[in-house]
Amino acid sequence: MRMIRRAIAALAAAATMAAGLRLAGGEPVERQSGGWRPLDGPDLT
Amino acid sequence: MRVARHLLSGTASGFPGAEVHLVVRDIDPERLTGALGVLEAAASEGRVEVEHAPFPEQLDADVVVVATPRGTQLAAVESALAAGSTVVLSGDGLAETVAVTRLADRAGEQGVSVVLGAGFAPGLSGVLAAHARSWFDEVDEIHIAKAGAGGPACALVHHRALSRLSYDWSEGGWRRRPGGSGRELCWFPEPVGPMDCYRAALPDPVLLHHAFPEVGRITARMAATRRDRLTAPLPMLSPPPVEGGIGAIRVEVRGRRGVSQDVCVLGVAERPAVAAAAVAATTVEWALAGRLRVRGMASLAEMVEPTAFLADVADRGVVPEIFEGEHAVV
């Protein structure tokens, strides 16, 4: 019984820590722009 | 089947499809019947023959395309080498590709071209890497990513690849890491778009390292879902589709241009089986025209001049694309 309680406590602590990290977050990833275009003309010479 | 159709139809660049004589071998009689149905016109002219197992020992062919399921390719390559035929291998399994490379000395001694990885990835991915490399003064890294499967056999290889060790080339040595690890969001050409990709037992780094031994880092990843990763160690739970949907490859090359570091991203979005057939057929066309660069065993990236090859593949409807955006080369 004590082992189960410890496992639950450990899981709860891990979940709390993960939630904290996710909410606090880090530096946001810089937005990148661009797109795909067919490779032709001078790109294929 | 698709390779046969490509070869029989010829190309705008002058490949004489009408002069091609094909022998289609398969152990599955249903597939052979289907092949005859699809290639009916050419078969009625006597340009297509089918052979069912056990196959005749005598193999009289200029080029042999090995597009057989996992576990059968090594024997097929050995048999083609024994007959002195040029071999075009479109396999994408790591273990089998490595097993086939053990025949390299024999191919070299015989002076017979054996093209490894003449498919979508490996294959077109390597040619794209070779093409992108020509825009750099020095290449430091090549990263390959692929999404989608060509058919049931290909899907099975991908399923197993996620649960086996991946081999990446990193600063002078092979780094072994578990398949399914190393998540990276890769942006493929539309309509595939962004997908999470993971390490897997893929042959691309092995073939690319052989082609570009000076490159410091070479990696390969494969798109997968959570379910794919979870079920990877198990036997395939649901039967794969007969034909895979749309897939894509993405080739990222990093290096130096002049005094600045730069990155170039090339890709293709196409049904993998369609693209692989176009690549294999174009390779056969080049082999028959004597345009392959190596008499011996090498990957497709070493065998062909990339620019002309990409143009020929584009003639067959598989058009490479380039990502233009921040840090793009062109």
Side-chain angles (χ1 to χ4, degrees), chain B residues 164-168 175-179 181 199 217 221:
Chain B
R164 282 158 169 71
L165 285 176
S166 78
Y167 284 75
D168 289 341
R175 293 188 78 174
R176 294 187 299 170
R177 287 164 166 164
S181 66
R199 295 190 189 99
R217 274 194 74 205
R221 280 178 165 75

Side-chain angles (χ1 to χ4, degrees), chain B residues 28 34 42 67 84 146 152 168 175 177 193 226 267 274 281 284 315:
Chain B
D28 185 345
K146 68 174 180 177
D168 289 341
R175 293 188 78 174
R177 287 164 166 164
R226 283 199 178 101
V274 171
V284 173
D315 282 345

Side-chain angles (χ1 to χ4, degrees), chain B residues 19 33 62 67 81 92-93 98 104 120 135 144 159 177-178 193 198 203 251 256 258 263-264 283 287 294 299 311:
Chain B
E19 295 171 18
T33 310
D62 294 318
L81 268 179
D92 61 354
V98 170
F120 198 27
W135 294 336
I144 307 286
H159 175 80
R177 287 164 166 164
Y198 302 87
V251 178
R256 182 180 60 79
V263 56
C264 170
T283 309
V294 180
S299 69

Side-chain angles (χ1 to χ4, degrees), chain B residues 26-323:
Chain B
D26 205 314
I27 54 168
D28 185 345
E30 280 183 25
R31 276 204 298 260
L32 281 177
T33 310
L36 270 183
V38 173
L39 307 171
E40 197 175 1
S44 65
E45 295 168 9
R47 293 163 56 207
V48 176
E49 287 175 46
V50 294
E51 287 180 357
H52 184 263
F55 304 120
E57 280 187 18
Q58 198 69 22
L59 180 64
D60 181 21
D62 294 318
V63 181
V64 174
V65 179
V66 178
T68 56
R70 173 184 69 90
T72 61
Q73 293 169 355
L74 179 61
V77 172
E78 279 179 329
S79 147
L81 268 179
S85 305
T86 297
V87 185
V88 174
L89 174 65
S90 69
D92 61 354
L94 173 60
E96 195 144 39
T97 302
V98 170
V100 171
T101 58
R102 298 200 179 109
L103 300 173
D105 289 345
R106 190 169 148 195
E109 284 163 13
Q110 286 183 233
V112 173
S113 298
V114 178
V115 189
L116 296 180
F120 198 27
L124 192 55
S125 55
V127 181
L128 286 174
H131 186 54
R133 182 175 170 268
S134 66
W135 294 336
F136 289 85
D137 295 317
E138 191 179 304
V139 171
D140 302 322
E141 300 178 24
I142 299 174
H143 304 285
I144 307 286
K146 68 174 180 177
C154 186
L156 185 60
V157 170
H158 288 184
H159 175 80
R160 287 168 181 267
L162 272 176
S163 63
R164 282 158 169 71
L165 285 176
S166 78
Y167 284 75
D168 289 341
W169 182 258
S170 181
E171 305 306 339
W174 291 106
R175 293 188 78 174
R176 294 187 299 170
R177 287 164 166 164
S181 66
R183 182 169 69 175
E184 185 176 315
L185 181 66
C186 294
W187 212 285
F188 294 97
E190 299 299 336
V192 176
M195 293 189 80
D196 279 332
C197 294
Y198 302 87
R199 295 190 189 99
L202 301 171
D204 300 66
V206 176
L207 298 178
L208 285 172
H209 172 61
H210 194 267
F212 313 117
E214 75 284 2
V215 177
R217 274 194 74 205
I218 303 174
T219 68
R221 280 178 165 75
M222 191 174 76
T225 61
R226 283 199 178 101
R227 194 189 69 169
D228 293 335
R229 292 168 62 215
L230 187 70
T231 60
L234 308 171
M236 212 159 191
L237 293 178
S238 56
V242 172
E243 161 83 53
I246 190 93
I249 54 173
R250 179 185 185 278
V251 178
E252 182 178 321
V253 177
R254 294 174 176 269
R256 182 180 60 79
R257 295 182 82 209
V259 292
S260 62
Q261 290 296 119
D262 224 329
V263 56
C264 170
V265 181
L266 299 177
V268 174
E270 183 54 89
R271 281 187 293 164
V274 171
V279 171
T282 307
T283 309
V284 173
E285 182 186 330
W286 279 50
L288 291 173
R291 296 172 74 186
L292 297 182
R293 286 169 161 173
V294 180
R295 294 272 177 199
M297 188 176 286
S299 69
L300 186 62
E302 297 164 84
M303 281 281 186
V304 299
E305 196 288 304
T307 311
F309 190 85
L310 288 175
D312 282 0
V313 171
D315 282 345
R316 295 186 188 274
V318 180
V319 181
E321 297 180 57
I322 183 167
F323 185 81

Side-chain angles (χ1 to χ4, degrees), chain A:
Chain A
M1 197 63 183
R2 201 173 67 176
M3 198 172 169
I4 293 172
R5 273 205 299 271
R6 280 183 177 176
I8 290 171
L11 283 174
T16 309
M17 199 178 292
L21 285 172
R22 175 158 278 210
L23 287 175
E27 286 294 311
V29 176
E30 192 181 333
R31 188 178 176 82
Q32 296 192 358
S33 60
W36 292 91
R37 70 163 175 81
L39 193 66
D40 53 14
D43 301 333
L44 273 184
T45 55

